[in-house]
Amino acid sequence: MAYVHEQELVNALINDQRFAFKERGQYLQQGICPSCGKKELFVSKDKPFVVKCNRLNKCDYSEHTREIYPELFNNFEERFPKTEQNPNATAIAYMQYNRGFDMTKIATWFTQELYQLPDKSRTVPTVRFYIDEQKERYWERLIDVTKEQAKQRNNIGGARKKIPFNHKDYDDYNGTLYKGEWWTPPGQVIEKGDKVFLVEGIFHAIALHLCGYKVAAIFAAGNFPLLSMRDHFGKQVVWIWSLDDDKAGRGFMTKHHERLINQHKEYSAVALTGTNLDWDDLFRRGLINENFMFNARYRGRMFTARNISEKAWTWHKHTKSYYAVLPFQGALYSIDVNKELTRDLDSEGIEPGTDAAEPHFQRNVRITKIGNVVPEFLYCQVAQYTGEISYDFKISFANGSNTTLVSLPGSAVEGPTSFNKALLSKAAGANFTGKPRDFNFLANSWFAKRIEQVEALSFAGYHKEYGLYIYKDFAYKNGKRFELNEHGFFNIDKHSLKSVSGSIIVEESDDFNCAWIKDYHTVTGNNGMLVLSFWLGSLFAEQIRELYASWPFLEMSGEPGTGKSTVIEFLWRCCGRSNYEGIDPSKSTFAARARAMMQVSNLPVVLIEGDRDDEKGKRAGFDYDELKTAFNGRAVRSMGVMNRGSETEEPPFRASIVLAQNAPVEASPAMMERIIHVHFTKAHFTPATTALAPKLNQLSTKELGGFLHRALTLEPQIMETIKKRVPEAEAALWANPHCSNNRLIKNHAQLMAVAMCLPLVFPTMPPYVLEQTIQHIEERCVKRHQDLNADLPLVAKFWETYELLNEVENHQGQQMLGKERLNHASNDNEIAINITHFNQVCAEHRVEQLPSKELKKQLTTSKQFAFVAQNKTVKSKLLNKSIRCWVFNKK
């Protein structure tokens, strides 16, 4: 069975084109390293559990195959079912293949049990370790599902401790499951003078035990195992706190270390891994050895030093070096050891690094404070389009101020002066007074190893290439939520990235309560539900365009006070944005509009009041046809790359478009076909809706913002539903005798398919609401067909004026047959009109003149009389000379 699993891994590695391994005896070699890109990757065929890069100093990449192929390390219940002969078969396979432990040494330490999921849908196997000899209390790990997926509140269960009322431990430990206790490997004996490593988890303990160390697992970082530990007090045991090397672990290690020394007078030390890997992760990578543990103890001594002098001595004793810059309690110190120290020690016959050498060291060292903060270099940010690099630091303050993350330009790390200026501008009160030698020492320590590069995305929302959503504080992929790491970026599928879009802030929210959907429908009517459907679809616009090459625009027209802004602001709150409606394109430059459209992905870009005819709007020159390329997700602008070349960037459009204004949009037929139109009126206003509206408006972003999180959690189900429903919706619209335009049918069918996803997001939504919404979308499709078959309002007004003024009347007000005033065409089948002449006749008869610039744009779309040509030279029958006219076909 073991051979089959290991061979599966070998086959997967051989067939993985990312690595392109070559088989060389018992190894796969010359694979392409994912970190440095060199052909230096190798892995053992006998134990194909860790792939490593041969460039140990320049790269040092290593990764366990369970992170590369998680699917091969799951489904243990199906692949290794328990039998009567081996009731622990699944657990043993899990411990061997997923955790990498030697079963010949630990197979009897655990049992295989079952855990019933809270919804009682099924049971899953577990690996169970008993805490007490009576086997009443236990710790267990679920197999094939995570604790979060199973909604398991605690890994520890069983009967709580019962301590007699008059016992000294009653107050502190009665009724607890594990407080004050530990788990140790069966058969381990703690003897006088032993070193015992205290770790958090049982798997951590097993990893160190298999490497030859005595260990105890304390279950949680905050648990001080006094009940188990005190039986060994007085044995001169060195207790080595080795919890997770993170903020919580370091905090509790400090507390436990000081408590053990001050209260219990025991030997105490700390060991730090210096990495975010747990002890069992290090074990699987084969990194735990004598040298690693020696350095972990050194890191622990540096961490627990009581003052900078002690820390400097610990450093010198370990490294035998004479110069360094060391941090201590939020400040930086320059450590400069006089070379005379060696002569002093030699003259007195003292061995360097021994306790006897410390007084000599302290007399020969100069310690200078050079900064009131400790800057820890984290990573480089690489700007998405420009490629500009900035350097991100975590700044810890000596004065106790909160740690802050700052991003400094490349010029800030040129030298001590520029670094000091950058610190002062980014971190209040921070300074660096070190000399060039000090700064160079720091810079070398920052940049000595492979530098983490983080993509700095200039937008918030969906990243099409990586298939994930990323916002400032959270991310989603395939319905799974990811949180920022401690350094302020996301690491998802080996992609390091963050959103630096300062204009978009999506607030965190409570769990989603969808009870408002019925009131929303009552207040906003079918129009509101249509807009909600479009809003939901906008959260998946990129995926929909990937499937169908386009996602429509939405137009919301209607007189003031009909509820357009209320609906938009409400739906923005559903996506975590407060006090926001949109941008006014008539008051924005082309560059400003283009940037606004680049700030979000899979969120709407709302253009409000774009039809206003004021002077500022005219200067801005907004034309709806600018948006046509956005329909297919193509760029709405080109940008010059910041270099001396001729390169340009054309960022794709990743969002959706909502047009919200009083009057309907007037644009070219190609643009109008891209728009789903909904017109708001006051017809549905009633005393009941008026009473409910304030209730909806009072719902805060925190109460509504869960809509976004619920929708992104449901991404796989929503996209599957859309793919299934679009063909059905298209067939239904084609069956409507009033629908014939392919683009209109496609647009409205996509929206109908998204509307059919609403019950996924709103399980309590009444069925009749969905039925009415679907019917309303179909009605809007029919109405759009009718609108596109009619002339635009300005063109219709032109022909109305033409018919009013063209026929010449006699002095009695009767039409004179055959006499025309505007039509210059000598051909009876055509109409030829000179626009300047047309305006003159309008003025003479005191008829409202039409705006010539807009009129000329729209006359080409004429349907009442088909457009033939513009500015065509014709022989005027009215003037008996040649004149330039707009020509139309009468038939």
Side-chain angles (χ1 to χ4, degrees), residues 575-683:
C575 290
R577 296 182 75 175
S578 302
N579 302 316
Y580 182 77
E581 184 177 0
I583 65 168
D584 187 341
S586 297
K587 291 185 176 180
S588 307
T589 64
F590 175 76
R593 292 194 297 270
R595 287 189 178 187
M597 292 179 188
M598 293 165 55
Q599 288 175 347
V600 294
S601 174
N602 278 10
L603 278 173
V605 175
V606 182
L607 305 180
I608 56 175
E609 298 298 336
D611 60 325
R612 288 202 304 246
D613 194 22
D614 57 16
E615 288 303 313
K616 192 169 185 179
K618 291 178 181 178
R619 288 197 300 271
F622 175 63
D623 184 348
Y624 285 109
D625 283 336
E626 290 178 14
L627 304 175
K628 281 197 295 188
T629 53
F631 179 72
N632 305 103
R634 293 194 285 269
V636 294
R637 73 173 294 202
S638 294
M639 302 185 303
V641 177
M642 294 178 64
N643 59 27
R644 296 184 179 182
S646 58
E647 294 88 349
T648 59
E649 284 279 358
E650 293 191 350
F653 179 72
R654 301 180 175 90
S656 67
I657 297 289
V658 176
L659 309 169
Q661 55 189 39
N662 297 338
V665 169
E666 296 179 6
S668 67
M671 181 62 189
M672 301 295 278
E673 286 182 355
R674 288 165 163 79
I675 298 173
I676 292 176
H677 176 242
V678 58
H679 188 71
F680 281 71
T681 69
K682 298 181 181 180

Side-chain angles (χ1 to χ4, degrees), residues 95 99 101 105-106 109 129 139 141 182-186 188 195-219 240 242-244 278-284 288 293:
M95 294 291 283
R99 314 309 301 192
F101 296 140
K105 297 180 179 179
I106 70 167
W109 292 4
F129 293 81
W139 177 94
R141 175 60 59 89
W182 64 28
W183 175 93
T184 55
Q188 174 181 281
K195 296 181 178 66
V196 178
F197 289 82
L198 300 157
V199 297
E200 289 189 32
I202 287 180
F203 289 166
H204 302 171
I206 294 174
L208 285 178
H209 173 80
L210 292 177
C211 291
Y213 298 95
K214 292 191 176 183
V215 291
I218 65 173
F219 306 114
I240 305 173
S242 312
L243 310 183
D244 294 348
D278 294 334
W279 288 107
D280 53 328
D281 294 322
L282 294 167
F283 171 79
R284 282 189 292 274
I288 300 177
M293 299 304 286

Side-chain angles (χ1 to χ4, degrees), residues 295-307:
N295 287 318
R297 293 287 306 279
Y298 163 66
R299 285 188 287 268
R301 287 192 294 272
M302 294 287 281
F303 173 66
T304 55
R306 292 166 294 180
N307 51 58

